[in-house]
Amino acid sequence: MRKLLNTLFVTQPDVYLSLDGGNVVMNKEQEKLHRIPLHNLESIVCFGYTGASPGLMGYCAERSISIVFLTMNGRFLARVIGESKGNVTLRKTQYRISDDEEKSAEIARNFIVGKLFNNRSIIDRMARDYPMRVDVEQFKKASKSLLSSIREIRECTDLELLRGWEGQAAISYNRVFDDMILQQKDNFYFRHRSRRPPKDNVNAMLSFAYTLLANDMAAALETVGLDAYVGFLHRDRPGRASLALDVMEELRGVYADKFVLSLINRKEMTADDFVKKENGAVLMTDESRKTFLSAWQMKKQEKMTHPYLNEKMSWGLVPYAQALLLARFLRGDLDEYPPFLWK
Amino acid sequence: MLLLVTYDVSTTSSGGTKRLRRVSKACQRVGQRVQNSVFECIVDSTQYTQLKIELEGIIDKEKDSLRFYRLGDNYKSKVEHVGAKDSLDVEAPLIL
């Protein structure tokens, strides 16, 4: 497996990025702040209205270093993509399957199975590790209901039904999610998912983590030559990276949710890290966004063994590995798409 | 791995300043300048060889010299900085 390179996060809005002999240079007014060799970077993520020179964009596109522009709050604005990689045949297969409801469902159910399996692992592990602090009865119930959903979904060939099962499973998972917050219960609680805008601290963090993960996923899909915008479970909608959201389903729990939970439980984020706007939206402060990103980057560099490939890799490469497996399945090299099943 | 590249290019000889500039440019492309004529580069073995071949092509072996220190992957305990202008760790989270 290839090496995971670093990601440069630019969080100052008044910085201009330019290219100088294989380096990305951060300019602020007339001053050069930093210069970093581009061959050490996997991607550049800009927050706020940071500019980048066309020369830099071209250089990065050629070497498949992704440049992503997000708003200050992490909402996606744009991504610089170079020439489409991979071959047409692969993309055409993807489009054909996407148009076929039944075939789409066959792949989509593997994403959902992965998601439920992983969420169940989280619940089981929580009940095992903290039997005195969580309501074990409730956790066992949730775990059981997820297991029965998985069995049903394995046989399901209808997309609408599949979405129904997923919704139902989400309810039983969300019900115990609040119980998994062990620390700082006064300021961090989970009632239900709220987005655009997130209405409480936990939702603000979840939204931000999902955006980061979706970007990584989309970039990974593009590198293996798939079209991140044509999905199987999520329908096509302009500007939505449906396939990235599809494959992300199985990683939401083990990757993003667990990451957010550990930030709270290890008290790396506190109530002071959030501000509430007049319209009820809860946002992270600039300073806490940096803490969040730095922890996210640490998580990406953590090593683990991929359960299917049985190979040691960093967490940050999991989106890439799954994209690779999906491409292999579409090419016909695998009988079924193997979701990421975390134990 | 971390590679430390240091060089001495004789600027009094003919074409010396030109060679010096070309060497520093080539080093800057792959690493960061930590002191005058000292570069720290995070490279793999291919990139190391490429850089070495490139630099060897630039210098005049009669007058100039190059030194490569390979500090391996676990270099963090081997480097200590004292004084102004510490280098940027390109493998740690880069949030700027």
Side-chain angles (χ1 to χ4, degrees):
Chain A
M1 200 35 75
R2 73 197 174 102
K3 196 179 172 224
L4 177 73
L5 300 171
N6 213 340
T7 303
L8 168 66
F9 293 98
V10 186
T11 55
Q12 304 173 33
D14 42 359
V15 158
Y16 187 76
L17 302 175
S18 61
L19 176 72
D20 179 22
N23 285 199
V24 50
V25 185
M26 292 176 62
N27 308 286
K28 193 169 193 174
E29 276 140 31
Q30 295 304 314
E31 201 190 340
K32 282 180 182 168
L33 290 180
H34 300 281
R35 49 186 313 137
I36 297 150
L38 278 160
H39 73 102
N40 293 127
L41 296 182
E42 183 96 29
S43 58
I44 301 175
V45 181
C46 307
F47 291 90
Y49 300 107
T50 310
S53 78
L56 177 71
M57 292 189 199
Y59 188 93
C60 288
E62 239 170 59
R63 284 159 186 79
S64 49
I65 300 167
S66 74
I67 308 184
V68 184
F69 295 94
L70 307 173
T71 66
M72 224 37 202
N73 306 319
R75 205 169 56 79
F76 177 80
L77 285 176
R79 186 195 344 268
V80 180
I81 324 173
E83 196 187 351
S84 307
K85 275 174 282 318
N87 56 36
V88 228
T89 339
L90 176 67
R91 269 197 301 285
K92 274 189 143 176
T93 318
Q94 184 192 348
Y95 298 148
R96 267 197 294 274
I97 294 180
S98 169
D99 280 337
D100 185 333
E101 286 261 334
E102 208 165 298
K103 276 191 183 149
S104 289
E106 269 171 39
I107 305 179
R109 73 178 177 204
N110 283 15
F111 300 139
I112 304 294
V113 166
K115 176 180 181 168
L116 301 198
F117 183 94
N118 291 337
N119 287 356
R120 188 165 168 259
S121 300
I122 299 174
I123 295 176
D124 286 348
R125 183 176 277 213
M126 213 58 190
R128 202 168 57 233
D129 291 353
Y130 302 97
M132 312 304 274
R133 302 183 65 178
V134 300
D135 184 354
V136 178
E137 222 33 57
Q138 196 70 30
F139 274 61
K140 284 234 170 83
K141 232 169 80 191
S143 161
K144 215 182 230 163
S145 104
L146 284 180
L147 185 65
S148 67
S149 303
I150 292 174
R151 290 212 184 98
E152 296 287 341
I153 290 164
R154 285 297 303 156
E155 307 300 324
C156 185
T157 48
D158 182 84
L159 271 178
E160 276 315 310
L161 267 176
L162 207 54
R163 294 196 184 100
W165 280 112
E166 194 221 340
Q168 211 175 331
I171 293 171
S172 53
Y173 172 70
N174 284 348
R175 201 173 287 148
V176 294
F177 193 84
D178 186 52
D179 272 352
M180 291 197 252
I181 300 169
L182 301 172
Q183 304 282 346
Q184 317 184 70
K185 291 287 267 190
D186 293 340
N187 297 313
F188 293 91
Y189 45 81
F190 182 83
R191 302 280 171 265
H192 52 85
R193 182 90 179 96
S194 62
R195 57 213 186 101
R196 274 177 244 163
K199 295 252 198 279
D200 56 57
N201 299 351
V202 175
N203 272 301
M205 287 205 272
L206 285 177
S207 290
F208 197 56
Y210 291 155
T211 313
L212 293 175
L213 186 55
N215 279 320
D216 286 351
M217 196 68 242
L221 290 166
E222 303 280 351
T223 20
V224 299
L226 287 166
D227 188 335
Y229 289 81
V230 178
F232 305 124
L233 177 67
H234 291 84
R235 290 288 90 195
D236 301 348
R237 190 199 289 165
R240 173 162 82 177
S242 298
L243 187 61
L245 297 178
D246 279 2
V247 190
M248 206 180 111
E249 286 298 346
E250 59 201 67
L251 299 176
R252 273 178 204 266
V254 277
Y255 208 132
D257 296 359
K258 259 186 73 76
F259 170 74
V260 168
L261 282 172
S262 70
L263 280 184
I264 303 170
N265 289 342
R266 279 193 262 131
K267 295 189 183 165
E268 282 175 46
M269 297 285 269
T270 59
D272 301 338
D273 290 322
F274 300 86
V275 281
K276 201 165 181 119
K277 286 279 167 68
E278 296 85 2
N279 60 356
V282 173
L283 300 174
M284 280 189 246
T285 61
D286 291 353
E287 220 25 65
S288 68
R289 202 168 291 123
K290 282 190 192 168
T291 322
F292 193 95
L293 287 172
S294 153
W296 179 260
Q297 202 55 20
M298 296 289 218
K299 160 96 183 176
K300 273 171 84 168
Q301 280 166 355
E302 256 172 48
K303 288 272 197 297
M304 46 83 83
T305 308
H306 192 285
Y308 180 81
L309 295 169
N310 217 353
E311 226 178 300
K312 250 200 140 108
M313 62 171 81
S314 33
W315 268 102
L317 275 183
V318 171
Y320 175 72
Q322 291 311 118
L324 211 62
L325 289 171
L326 183 61
R328 274 188 208 162
F329 163 71
L330 294 177
R331 284 203 187 94
D333 297 342
L334 291 171
D335 293 332
E336 210 171 335
Y337 165 73
F340 180 82
L341 300 178
W342 183 75
K343 279 183 240 66
Chain B
M1 63 171 168
L2 177 70
L3 176 72
L4 190 76
V5 187
T6 67
Y7 52 79
D8 222 340
V9 177
S10 158
T11 47
T12 47
S13 65
S14 68
T17 41
K18 194 175 173 190
R19 289 202 306 277
L20 178 69
R21 202 170 54 243
R22 286 178 65 197
V23 169
S24 100
K25 269 240 157 110
C27 288
Q28 188 153 67
R29 207 178 57 244
V30 288
Q32 56 174 327
R33 186 191 287 272
V34 284
Q35 282 175 351
N36 298 334
S37 349
V38 180
F39 281 85
E40 279 182 12
C41 319
I42 306 283
V43 287
D44 56 31
S45 49
T46 323
Q47 288 163 331
Y48 165 54
T49 317
Q50 277 174 347
L51 179 70
K52 204 168 98 178
I53 292 169
E54 186 182 357
L55 292 179
E56 274 178 45
I58 298 170
I59 61 158
D60 179 346
K61 283 188 186 149
E62 302 284 303
K63 298 171 187 113
D64 314 331
S65 71
L66 287 168
R67 289 183 84 85
F68 299 98
Y69 300 83
R70 277 176 285 170
L71 291 161
D73 286 323
N74 300 315
Y75 55 85
K76 292 214 168 88
S77 56
K78 295 177 187 152
V79 183
E80 200 180 326
H81 181 90
V82 179
K85 279 196 193 161
D86 195 1
S87 68
L88 196 70
D89 183 357
V90 288
E91 287 195 314
L94 287 169
I95 298 149
L96 304 168

